[in-house]
Amino acid sequence: MKNGSTTRVALIYGGRSGEHPVSCMTAGSVMASIDRDRYEIVPIGIRRDGTWVSGTTDSELLGTGTAEVGPGEPITVSYGTGEFYEGGKSLEIDVAFPLLHGPFGEDGTIQGLFEMAGVKYVGSGVFSSAAVMDKHFTKIILQAAGLPVGPWVLVTRSGWENSREELTDQIAQLRMPLFVKPTRAGSSLGISRIESLDQLDEAIREAQKHDPKVIVEQGLAGREVECAVLGGRGTERARASTVGEIILNNPTSGFYDFESKYVETDGLVLQIPAEIPEDDMERLRTMAVEAFEAVDCEGMARVDFFFDGGDITINEINTIPGFTPYSMYPLLWQKSGMTYAELIDELLTLALERQTGLR
């Protein structure tokens, strides 16, 4: 505690990705729920152009879902000393809590900044953040660890220009429907579901609007279920929540896309706990922790699965999952006995006990 008995938390939100408003909404939720007797919030906004500025403490404004980081006093970081400065004055930060989604937020870039600056922070480190943000490398790591993943084909920009016929032949071996995704975008941005190869070129162009690197995945049968993982204290193993299920009853959307998550949510049901046999529930929880450890995650992660009559396939991992009180990750922990405020406290406690650098 650099300034009195409370811990000063740099709540960092906004960012350069398409999930900027979602990040602002999450920051508003954390501000409204954090224990103010223990923590003092220092809001730092990142504008869409990447500029760091002093943020707002107006949680209602941030929670509208349309908020943007606007003008503010420039914020700078001193490398090595772990100091944040506003107008030449130290903000005396104890720990950073990044609530950023997508590129430049959960992909290892800001985590590298924190490491270089010597700032303690919530969440996974540089490698795991970068690896998990890239759906292609996530699959490679999980597969190497003996964990089940679905079939896929990687399409780079140069590959699609120079080896389109060969890549199309590889993709044709996958079973329809196919999901064409930006490899390094979050919140299901730019994802298309296709039923024939005639739709492939258009779907790849749409994905490339968000990322030049695209992954084409075979559609998997089964229910979409998710498990929240929380790092362990000290040398203790990570902990897994109960398992929840995403039930999408919206006829206008064939899958859990950005619109279903944040815009047209009327047909979305989060069933917690999922109606799954207890033995299978334990298998999912165990596999969630194994995936968390395989990619060297820290702090928090949500592991998403397809569950089909006992068959389990890992879909993806998210190191900065949706974190409003109505998002799956906090809801899973609430159903597992940990309130939203307690979850925030636990994540900050884990961050404060961890050193930067090799560990």
Side-chain angles (χ1 to χ4, degrees):
M1 307 359 143
K2 294 181 180 178
N3 185 25
S5 60
T6 57
T7 299
R8 287 173 64 83
V9 181
L11 204 62
I12 303 175
Y13 62 92
R16 297 170 61 183
S17 82
E19 298 170 86
H20 184 108
V22 177
S23 173
C24 293
M25 188 189 314
T26 302
S29 298
V30 172
M31 286 181 190
S33 302
I34 197 168
D35 184 349
R36 295 301 182 110
D37 292 331
R38 296 192 59 188
Y39 301 106
E40 182 178 355
I41 291 294
V42 181
I44 296 176
I46 301 179
R47 300 173 63 181
R48 285 189 182 270
D49 65 0
T51 306
W52 289 43
V53 297
S54 55
T56 178
T57 55
D58 187 340
S59 60
E60 290 188 7
L61 174 64
L62 290 170
T64 61
T66 58
E68 296 272 334
V69 176
E73 290 294 321
I75 301 294
T76 58
V77 181
S78 176
Y79 293 100
T81 66
E83 296 287 346
F84 289 75
Y85 291 93
E86 178 186 348
K89 180 181 177 180
S90 173
L91 294 175
E92 300 186 326
I93 300 301
D94 293 303
V95 61
F97 194 164
L99 294 168
L100 302 161
H101 303 294
F104 309 106
E106 59 179 318
D107 61 355
T109 50
I110 198 169
Q111 290 77 15
L113 183 152
F114 294 145
E115 293 285 351
M116 291 173 67
V119 176
K120 294 186 177 184
Y121 59 98
V122 171
S124 288
V126 176
F127 170 77
S128 53
S129 297
V132 168
M133 188 67 190
D134 189 308
K135 297 176 178 66
H136 169 59
F137 284 111
T138 302
K139 289 178 182 290
I140 289 174
I141 294 168
L142 294 177
Q143 192 174 64
L147 295 168
V149 296
W152 81 94
V153 173
L154 177 69
V155 178
T156 62
R157 186 180 294 279
S158 62
W160 194 237
E161 289 297 322
N162 301 312
S163 307
R164 185 171 306 199
E165 185 175 344
E166 180 182 343
L167 285 169
T168 302
D169 288 343
Q170 293 176 29
I171 292 167
Q173 303 305 308
L174 303 177
R175 186 175 62 249
M176 294 289 175
L178 304 178
F179 289 87
V180 183
K181 304 177 178 181
T183 302
R184 296 164 294 193
S187 281
S188 303
L189 290 166
I191 295 181
S192 300
R193 181 183 190 272
I194 65 172
E195 299 283 353
S196 75
L197 292 179
D198 293 340
Q199 301 169 293
L200 180 61
D201 191 66
E202 181 180 352
I204 287 176
R205 286 200 304 270
E206 178 60 30
Q208 286 176 337
K209 292 177 183 178
H210 302 272
D211 186 353
K213 188 176 176 183
V214 174
I215 190 168
V216 181
E217 297 178 340
Q218 177 174 296
L220 297 173
R223 299 152 62 183
E224 293 187 56
V225 299
E226 301 182 347
C227 184
V229 183
L230 189 59
R233 299 275 190 99
T235 58
E236 294 176 356
R237 290 196 74 183
R239 298 155 279 178
S241 71
T242 188
V243 176
E245 180 176 4
I246 299 165
I247 302 173
L248 188 60
N249 297 320
N250 185 351
T252 64
S253 179
F255 62 97
Y256 190 38
D257 59 2
F258 184 87
E259 295 291 311
S260 303
K261 290 179 179 179
Y262 301 115
V263 183
E264 297 294 336
T265 60
D266 289 346
L268 179 64
V269 177
L270 304 182
Q271 176 68 47
I272 308 173
E275 295 182 357
I276 290 175
E278 187 60 33
D279 287 350
D280 290 324
M281 180 82 76
E282 286 307 306
R283 288 174 60 214
L284 285 159
R285 295 177 70 245
T286 298
M287 194 177 292
V289 171
E290 290 173 346
F292 185 91
E293 293 176 342
V295 193
D296 201 25
C297 291
E298 296 170 277
M300 62 177 167
R302 192 193 69 234
V303 184
D304 302 346
F305 301 90
F306 286 103
F307 176 77
D308 185 21
D311 291 333
I312 298 172
T313 306
I314 299 176
N315 183 30
E316 61 183 36
I317 305 172
N318 194 317
T319 54
I320 305 184
F323 203 78
T324 73
Y326 313 105
S327 300
M328 180 66 98
Y329 186 89
L331 286 174
L332 286 167
W333 281 114
Q334 287 174 44
K335 292 293 185 179
S336 302
M338 186 179 298
T339 69
Y340 187 62
E342 289 170 342
L343 179 58
I344 293 169
D345 177 70
E346 182 65 13
L347 288 168
L348 289 168
T349 299
L350 290 171
L352 285 164
E353 76 172 22
R354 186 178 90 196
Q355 299 299 315
T356 55
L358 297 177
R359 50 188 179 271

